[in-house]
Amino acid sequence: MMRVPMFRSLAVRNYRLYALGQLLSNPGTWMQRIAQDWLVLQLSHGSGIALGMTTALQFLPLLLFGLWGGALVDRLDKRRLLILTQGAMGLLAVGLGILATAGAAEVWHVYVFAFALGMITVLDNPGRQAFVPEMVDREHLSNAIALNSASFQLGRVTGPAIAGLLIAWIGSGPVFVINGFSFAFTIVALLMIRTADLRTPEPVPKGKGQIREGLRYVAGRRDLVLLLVLAASVQFFGANGQNQIALMVNNVFESGAAAFGTAAAALAVGALVGALLAARRDRPRVRLVLIGAMGFGVTQVAAGLMPGYLAFVVVLVPMGVLFMTYVTTLNATFQLTVDSRMRGRVMSMFLLVFMGVAPIGAPVVGLLADAFGPRASLVTGGVVTVVVVSVLSVLLMRAKDVRWRALLPARWREDAPSDGDTAADVPEAEAVAEVETETGAGTDDEAVRDAAGGADDGTRAGSGGTAPDGGRRTRRGTSSRGAATPV
């Protein structure tokens, strides 16, 4: 896999402004997450169910209205939409902060604010995902996605540590207020963006059946369906990792807010490293998704078995690296292999599965923790992840008739192609290079070449899909059954 400059997408002015705004705003977001978890634990006297219910309510709107949000994003100006959603989230944070500071906050207040925040993210999340490709070209898109993750994780490193100290010093309320004002950084960055430089696709006109159209598009892509199943399985427990860390610190190690912040920061340090490593890769591969998810499950089990707080924190670092390898590669795979006219709807489905399973998993995590202890909850999540990834990997290999050694880097395989050969010259390498998909919607030439690894990597010319004007056209790099995703 070719290595590329780590920060190459920052050469684009619009993305550089956006990334700077996110870099300054993200620590506040993570400060609020820590403050919210700790506030619920204090108000509910350490109830895992209450903590899980808060997470469930925050993600429930995505589960209920996520597909509608994606269809709406495809019809709206994404920059203006994000200005509105970021402002609304800032107001919510300030409101909850005032209640907590005044000592008037109750658990049900946090529930209400969590649900309201979830309603806003129905539009904000797919809007942010779909806006990045408008700021950078396809050559820089994978790098920009990885740098977004790195910025988010840098906030995850600094935010929890700052939040832990501030909560111990002045309480949870002011932390919410600080986060509310931090949204101003992103809003200012969005206002400074040059709209003339954006690669804005033609807005999708309002019409009936747009959600069904998006569902049919994804259903016709077998590679995307497989990855969605994987995401749902891993995220059932993985999306609630923050809750599990809070329960381990509070209930098992009997430590305070500062210890919780340190543990959360350790996980974030690993995630930051994982995101920066992803920024060096030229394109995503399904192989890395599987390796990252499998490794994440193994480290979950290890973390749940750690005898002391220090050992627990140490294991959280590689857990973060592997989780971010899985997440960033999965995200980039979706972004790079879908039709731009479908991006809002496809990414809303991705987020629906990736984040929407949290309302189902959070209460289960809480019940397991309350009934059998936080250790059992963490170990169970890791075992489930390992089993699911193993099964899906076997199914993928059998479907493509690929032997396991073909998943190794080419330089490690005895049958690796020589410098003068292409992947198509080696049957096993060719099988790994593509996961054939069926889709009725066309994908532009560059998208297909990026998805399949390019003509130089052994892609075959063939009959293309439907052109934007409804006609048929021939394009290089795609078979009659559509795009491909590199394994």
Side-chain angles (χ1 to χ4, degrees):
M1 182 178 295
M2 185 176 68
R3 299 294 179 180
V4 295
M6 185 176 292
F7 302 103
R8 66 189 186 280
S9 58
L10 294 180
V12 181
R13 177 186 180 274
N14 280 346
Y15 178 72
R16 187 166 62 248
L17 287 171
Y18 178 79
L20 179 60
Q22 291 289 293
L23 183 67
L24 296 173
S25 179
N26 282 332
T29 300
W30 279 104
M31 288 167 63
Q32 173 164 318
R33 290 194 178 192
I34 298 299
Q36 178 175 285
D37 289 348
W38 202 254
L39 179 62
V40 170
L41 285 173
Q42 296 303 306
L43 293 176
S44 65
H45 307 290
S47 171
I49 294 178
L51 190 60
M53 187 61 67
T54 304
T55 301
L57 288 170
Q58 187 165 323
F59 288 103
L60 184 61
L62 184 64
L63 187 63
L64 297 177
F65 309 111
L67 296 180
W68 169 83
L72 189 58
V73 164
D74 280 335
R75 301 202 302 260
L76 298 176
D77 183 305
K78 298 173 186 62
R79 186 183 70 94
R80 294 178 181 175
L81 172 66
L82 291 177
I83 291 173
L84 292 176
T85 56
Q86 293 285 301
M89 287 191 287
L91 291 175
L92 281 177
V94 171
L96 183 55
I98 291 173
L99 276 176
T101 302
E106 299 180 16
V107 175
W108 72 267
H109 290 142
V110 184
Y111 289 167
V112 171
F113 276 91
F115 184 79
L117 180 63
M119 288 297 296
I120 298 171
T121 59
V122 166
L123 294 175
D124 185 78
N125 283 346
R128 284 188 290 109
Q129 295 283 339
F131 187 54
V132 175
E134 295 187 9
M135 292 183 285
V136 300
D137 56 25
R138 295 191 61 84
E139 179 184 355
H140 295 98
L141 182 55
S142 181
N143 179 256
I145 292 170
L147 290 183
N148 278 352
S149 297
S151 173
F152 189 67
Q153 297 307 322
L154 182 60
R156 192 175 184 178
V157 172
T158 58
I162 296 172
L165 295 174
L166 288 178
I167 293 171
W169 180 32
I170 55 178
S172 301
V175 176
F176 289 103
V177 176
I178 292 171
N179 176 55
F181 285 106
S182 74
F183 284 99
F185 293 115
T186 301
I187 294 173
V188 170
L190 289 167
L191 290 172
M192 294 177 64
I193 282 177
R194 293 174 182 165
T195 56
D197 295 339
L198 294 176
R199 298 167 176 78
T200 306
E202 286 294 325
V204 176
K206 184 177 181 180
K208 295 182 179 180
Q210 291 179 339
I211 294 177
R212 290 194 299 272
E213 182 184 12
L215 289 171
R216 284 195 298 269
Y217 177 84
V218 171
R221 294 281 305 273
R222 289 184 292 173
D223 56 332
L224 299 186
V225 172
L226 173 66
L227 293 175
L228 287 175
V229 172
L230 174 67
S233 304
V234 175
Q235 290 299 106
F236 188 86
F237 287 96
N240 298 287
Q242 199 76 22
N243 292 359
Q244 292 173 317
I245 292 174
L247 290 168
M248 286 286 290
V249 171
N250 187 71
N251 298 0
V252 176
F253 302 120
E254 298 181 350
S255 300
F260 176 37
T262 301
L267 182 68
V269 167
L272 174 61
V273 173
L276 291 175
L277 290 175
R280 296 294 307 276
R281 302 183 187 109
D282 59 332
R283 60 181 181 269
R285 292 186 181 277
V286 174
R287 177 177 62 200
L288 281 175
V289 177
L290 298 174
I291 292 173
M294 176 71 76
F296 172 65
V298 171
T299 51
Q300 272 187 302
V301 174
L305 298 176
M306 288 299 101
Y309 172 76
L310 182 59
F312 175 73
V313 171
V314 170
V315 173
L316 292 179
V317 176
M319 181 190 294
V321 174
L322 292 161
F323 183 74
M324 192 48 54
T325 298
Y326 147 71
V327 170
T328 304
T329 310
L330 186 64
N331 188 317
T333 299
F334 274 80
Q335 290 272 27
L336 284 167
T337 61
V338 301
D339 190 328
S340 62
R341 297 165 298 171
M342 291 282 183
R343 186 169 282 119
R345 281 165 283 183
V346 172
M347 294 313 297
S348 71
M349 293 177 214
F350 168 72
L351 292 169
L352 172 63
V353 172
F354 189 79
M355 301 173 66
V357 296
I360 304 171
V364 174
V365 169
L367 286 170
L368 284 174
D370 284 352
F372 305 104
R375 289 186 183 276
S377 175
L378 196 55
V379 170
T380 300
V383 171
V384 169
T385 297
V386 170
V387 171
V388 169
V389 176
S390 300
V391 171
L392 290 177
S393 298
V394 170
L395 291 176
L396 176 63
M397 295 304 100
R398 287 183 176 178
K400 298 302 299 176
D401 194 23
V402 176
R403 286 176 288 178
W404 288 102
R405 66 189 179 118
L407 292 178
L408 297 172
R411 63 181 181 275
W412 293 359
R413 297 197 302 264
E414 294 180 359
D415 61 350
S418 64
D419 294 339
D421 296 331
T422 65
D425 296 322
V426 182
E428 205 168 80
E430 181 181 4
V432 176
E434 294 183 357
V435 175
E436 294 180 354
T437 59
E438 298 177 359
T439 174
T443 310
D444 58 58
D445 297 349
E446 190 176 6
V448 174
R449 285 196 297 270
D450 285 344
D456 292 338
D457 290 334
T459 52
R460 297 170 297 223
S463 174
T466 305
D469 59 1
R472 300 289 296 180
R473 66 186 182 192
T474 301
R475 55 170 66 87
R476 180 179 175 86
T478 179
S479 68
S480 61
R481 293 194 293 175
T485 302
V487 173

